[in-house]
Amino acid sequence: MHIAIIGTGNVGAALATQWVQKGHTILLGVNDRENFKGKHLLNNPNTSVHSISDAVKKATVILLATPAKATIPITQSLGDTSGKIIIDAMNIAMKQGPEGFTNTTKAILAYTQTTDVVKCFNTTGYNNMENTQYGNWTIDAFVAGNSEKGKQVAIQLAKDAGFAECYDVGGNDQFTLMEQFALFWINLALFRGLGRDIAFKLLKR
């Protein structure tokens, strides 16, 4: 896949590095091509830097991993997203999010041309995307959205990033639940003192 990554911080960098190892082409979409966070990613194979709109134009899949408060201006800067799949990896935290919206994904849908928008890669820390192994266990990811096309792509990309499974938790009405799940992880990891090296695994019997 040709994947535009908008937001080249910790989450974007972790996923970009995992995906190139599976043969995907990474298009980093940035505001300043000479000075941007994650410049080291250009050392990876099949990785190039572009303006945001050019990265989107060349991609079939778009990962949004910017701070949540930038959701609306970033989405408006994407250009024509018709026929594209957008994966939202963002969360509203500390009330810092798009004004008028209770989750970032609904804001993306309101300001873009595509309806193939799903939420994934938001429920755990970037360190768990860099390394999905806990002893003999491989951790799981989760995805939500009405777009079956988008969910199938996100599930494949989650497995390509090293997750054992990516579970479908429902449609657009579950976007807020996904963000609440993320806040649960953040609470345990950062506020309850458990540290970032914790993750979720769905067990069945």
Side-chain angles (χ1 to χ4, degrees):
M1 302 180 202
H2 284 64
I3 306 169
I5 293 186
I6 316 301
T8 54
N10 292 331
V11 170
L15 291 172
T17 300
Q18 295 282 32
W19 287 336
V20 292
Q21 294 173 16
K22 291 296 183 178
H24 299 294
T25 296
I26 300 300
L27 307 156
L28 306 176
V30 300
N31 288 318
D32 183 350
R33 294 173 59 185
E34 300 301 321
N35 183 27
F36 63 94
K37 191 173 183 179
K39 205 168 186 179
H40 65 281
L41 294 172
L42 294 176
N43 296 322
N44 289 342
N46 302 321
T47 301
S48 55
V49 63
H50 309 265
S51 68
I52 292 174
S53 59
D54 281 348
V56 169
K57 194 178 299 182
K58 294 177 171 69
T60 53
V61 180
I62 304 158
L63 175 78
L64 292 185
T66 68
K69 63 183 179 181
T71 302
I72 293 174
I74 285 294
T75 303
Q76 290 174 322
S77 74
L78 298 178
D80 186 7
T81 57
S82 301
K84 313 284 186 181
I85 292 168
I86 299 178
I87 300 174
D88 174 21
M90 303 180 290
N91 296 300
I92 297 174
M94 309 297 289
K95 298 183 180 179
Q96 297 293 307
E99 188 174 349
F101 294 90
T102 56
N103 62 72
T104 57
T105 327
K106 284 289 182 68
I108 294 167
L109 280 165
Y111 286 92
T112 191
Q113 293 81 21
T114 183
T115 57
D116 290 315
V117 181
V118 297
K119 197 169 195 75
C120 191
F121 305 110
N122 72 302
T123 58
T124 195
Y126 73 91
N127 56 302
N128 287 325
M129 301 176 200
E130 294 175 335
N131 181 3
T132 58
Q133 293 298 127
Y134 279 75
N136 294 327
W137 295 101
T138 303
I139 63 174
D140 295 321
F142 305 87
V143 63
N146 288 350
S147 170
E148 291 301 321
K149 177 183 175 184
K151 285 197 282 195
Q152 288 307 308
V153 167
I155 288 168
Q156 182 59 57
L157 287 175
K159 292 179 178 180
D160 288 347
F163 289 91
E165 296 290 342
C166 182
Y167 291 97
D168 181 351
V169 302
N172 291 2
D173 58 334
Q174 300 303 326
F175 290 151
T176 296
L177 178 66
M178 289 281 283
E179 293 204 10
Q180 290 169 340
F181 193 11
L183 295 177
F184 185 76
W185 183 90
I186 290 168
N187 179 61
L188 290 176
L190 304 183
F191 299 121
R192 303 305 300 169
L194 295 184
R196 300 186 65 91
D197 287 324
I198 60 170
F200 298 112
K201 175 73 180 175
L202 184 65
L203 301 179
K204 297 184 286 186
R205 64 182 173 194

